Each structure stands twice: as structure tokens, then as C-alpha cells.
Amino acid sequence: MTTTSVTIEELRALIAGVLETEPEEVTDDAHFVHELDIDSLLMLEVSTRVETAYGVPENAVAASGATTLTELHAFLASKLTRETSPSPLIRPRPLSEPAARLFLLHHAGGSHLLYRGWTEHFPEDWELCLLEAPGRGNLQALPLIDDCDRLVDYFHTAIAPLLDRPFGFFGHSMGALIAYQLTRRLLRQGEPLPTWLGVSAYGAPQGEADAASSPHLMADDELRTWLRSGGGSPPQLLDNDDVWRKFAPMFRSDFKLVDTWTPPRSPEPLPVPLSVFAGVHDKLIGEDRLLAWQALTTNFRGLERYEGDHFYLMNHQQPLAAAITAAMRSAAP
């Protein structure tokens, strides 16, 4: 990776150039959207210029979630000084001796940013480990993975050294599938199992793949309409052709992973306590499929539903964290 340095004044001048304003107008903590009035097209231009100027991967700036000059500078400084290979593990509050670890897995088309701010809602002696699939965030330079088994392999390698104390998995949508398959991998290989498994907004695997819905094969307009119906995807992504073109390959790759995964036939129930979570108004998955998880565990902890759609969890961080904490503690031996 490049070790080019970056100064905040250089970034200030770059952004001011895009906005055709004076550098002093771009203050360190001014919010890009609300105070500098940077819309999606301008943000795309800022991102492109920054990525070109500093040699960082395409889409890295957008995926970073930076909303101020200070945040953008900190992100670039960390990217440009990192000498080791990027890791799929993000640990917002690293602990040397955590009482427990909770691994969080994101949805299709998403990133670890789904779980931004979650750490503050969990016990201080717990370590949250956010798993990020390649092709986004700090892993922009890596190719996308569109096969479930290969992504499970990739994550398994990353988490193996961290299974030395009680741990749990929580996955949302595609992340629920990966969490389930990771647990099956650990069981098959005789490795430590999670204390608890939480699956969110994802139906229990059926005996055969559901051919009725294959988002990765949809035409662009159809796919964007389908994503709108599920909620969670910002309008500036779905309504702006330039932004959509940058992120569409990631969506299609992730949906291909889900659509082409072959469910196991008559799988052995997991000897792991399992809880299911969902939004009351989720149009993408029915209650029968959610309750079908009961057959895939020896210890079904029930279904909890929250007000909202497929991305209900974005508005229920605190109560959901409390439910997860209680579930993991009650499941501990």
C-alpha cells in the first residue's frame, strides 16, 4: 500500500475546489451534507478526486462513512499508513481479555457500518467484532466474493484466533446465512461453538433454493425497485444513476451469494441456542420461514419482532442490544 502522507489542509483545498468556494469555508467539523450542502453528485466528485489524489481504492471514501473533514482526514491517514494486509475484522473497542466476544455480520450490499454505534449498548467487558466482506470499506482493493462457502472460509480464518473465550454470532439478512454456515463449519471441524446464535430478517434454509426470487438476475430498474420495497437503502444510492453504477456490482455479488447457495438437505440441528429477530412489517420474509428455524436447533429461544421493515434494527439498537446481551448470558453454561 502507498505510504503517501495526507494533510488536512490539502483535503480542505481539494473539497473547496469541488465546491468552488474558499478553503476557510470548509471547516474541520462542518457536516458535508447539512452544513456544506454537498449532495450525492458532489460527494461522488469529492470521493473520486480524493481516491485519485491519494491512490486509495474506488468507493473507499463513500464506504468510510466520513461526514466531516476531520473524519475524512482520519480515515485517509489510517489507510495510507497501514502496512499490514487489511483485515475483515473491525474491533471498535479492542480488549485484551474480554469476558465475551460478539461477532456481527452485515447484510447483502452492506458493510460493518450497519453496526456503527452498537458498542456503547453492550457490557464494557464485551468485545464487539464487526465482520466485513471483501470489496467494501477497508477491503475495497479485494475482489468481491459471490460464493457462500468461500466467504465462510474467509471469515473462519479471520476469527479462528479469537474463539478462546465465550462468543456469539449475530447476523442480519445475508449475515444470518453466513453466521449459520460459520456455526455449521465450526461444528463439523470440532472447533469451539458459539454460546449463542442470533439470526435476523432471514428465513430458515429450505430443502431447495427458492427460485422465485433471484435479485442478482434482475434488470437494474427491477432491482432498484425491489431494494426500495425492502427499505434500508438510502434514496441517494437508488435514485442517482452515477452512485448506483458504483455500488451495483457489490449488490449483485452479494445477492448471487445468497441466491446460488444450496441449502443442506435434512441438516443436523445445531447444539447451540438460537434466537430469531425480525421487523413486524418486513415484506421480504414471512413469519413461517422465521419460525422454521426451530427445526434447526436443539435450543430454540423464540422469535422477537420489532416495529419496522427489513431494516428494523437501525431504529432499535438499544433494545436489540439488551435482548442479545440477555440471550447470550442466559445461554452461557
Side-chain angles (χ1 to χ4, degrees):
M1 250 190 171
T2 180
T3 55
T4 303
S5 62
V6 54
T7 70
I8 198 165
E9 293 306 321
E10 291 171 344
L11 280 178
R12 195 190 317 278
L14 186 153
I15 294 175
V18 174
L19 300 181
E20 298 182 351
T21 187
E22 296 300 319
E24 55 266 25
E25 297 294 321
V26 185
T27 59
D28 290 3
D29 297 312
H31 193 283
F32 289 156
V33 175
H34 303 307
E35 296 175 68
L36 296 180
D37 199 26
I38 299 180
D39 60 20
S40 57
L41 277 177
L42 279 174
M43 195 63 217
L44 183 62
E45 179 64 21
V46 168
S47 302
T48 300
R49 290 202 193 182
V50 168
E51 290 157 2
T52 301
Y54 296 101
V56 295
E58 186 180 4
N59 298 338
V61 172
S64 74
T67 59
T68 67
L69 180 61
T70 297
E71 291 178 359
L72 179 57
H73 178 256
F75 166 72
L76 283 173
S78 69
K79 290 283 287 183
L80 297 176
T81 58
R82 189 179 295 111
E83 296 179 356
T84 57
S85 299
S87 168
L89 275 169
I90 294 91
R91 299 155 79 178
R93 186 175 61 198
L95 299 174
S96 57
E97 296 291 334
R101 288 192 173 101
L102 177 63
F103 295 92
L104 300 171
L105 298 98
H106 62 76
H107 57 291
S111 72
H112 77 279
L113 295 176
L114 175 68
Y115 300 110
R116 174 188 283 178
W118 276 45
T119 302
E120 63 186 80
H121 301 304
F122 285 88
E124 292 186 359
D125 59 353
W126 282 29
E127 183 176 67
L128 266 61
C129 300
L130 286 50
L131 284 164
E132 184 132 87
R136 66 212 82 198
N138 289 337
L139 307 180
Q140 282 285 330
L142 300 181
L144 295 160
I145 294 178
D146 61 8
D147 177 81
C148 184
D149 289 340
R150 287 201 295 118
L151 187 56
V152 168
D153 288 341
Y154 182 70
F155 284 156
H156 179 229
T157 299
I159 69 172
L162 301 178
L163 307 184
D164 58 344
R165 58 201 60 244
F167 68 94
F169 291 146
F170 176 88
H172 179 71
S173 200
M174 179 185 80
L177 167 59
I178 303 301
Y180 172 65
Q181 285 295 86
L182 265 174
T183 304
R184 294 183 70 236
R185 172 72 59 84
L186 296 175
L187 176 63
R188 186 168 65 248
Q189 298 184 183
E191 298 180 56
L193 294 176
T195 299
W196 170 86
L197 170 61
V199 293
S200 169
Y202 191 82
Q206 302 181 27
E208 57 185 39
D210 181 9
S213 175
S214 295
H216 81 284
L217 297 178
M218 293 179 180
D220 258 18
D221 287 347
E222 183 184 7
L223 179 56
R224 289 157 86 170
T225 299
W226 186 83
L227 287 169
R228 286 189 189 92
S229 71
S233 298
Q236 59 265 34
L237 167 64
L238 299 178
D239 297 341
N240 187 296
D241 291 342
D242 292 323
V243 176
W244 170 252
R245 276 193 290 270
K246 290 173 74 74
F247 288 93
M250 181 173 66
F251 277 96
R252 292 194 180 280
S253 175
D254 287 354
F255 286 134
K256 181 180 179 182
L257 181 154
V258 175
D259 294 343
T260 60
W261 175 65
T262 302
R265 293 186 177 277
S266 303
E268 176 186 359
L270 295 173
V272 173
L274 186 151
S275 303
V276 183
F277 303 86
V280 173
H281 306 294
D282 190 340
K283 300 176 182 178
L284 302 182
I285 187 68
E287 186 170 336
D288 56 337
R289 290 284 311 284
L290 295 168
L291 291 173
W293 281 105
Q294 186 168 358
L296 300 180
T297 174
T298 59
N299 188 348
F300 185 61
R301 293 301 185 93
L303 166 63
E304 294 190 28
R305 306 199 78 166
Y306 294 78
E307 185 64 29
D309 55 22
H310 192 67
F311 287 92
Y312 71 93
L313 72 176
M314 298 173 72
N315 297 318
H316 298 283
Q317 286 189 10
Q318 190 166 356
L320 191 53
I324 292 171
T325 301
M328 276 191 64
R329 283 177 167 166
S330 67

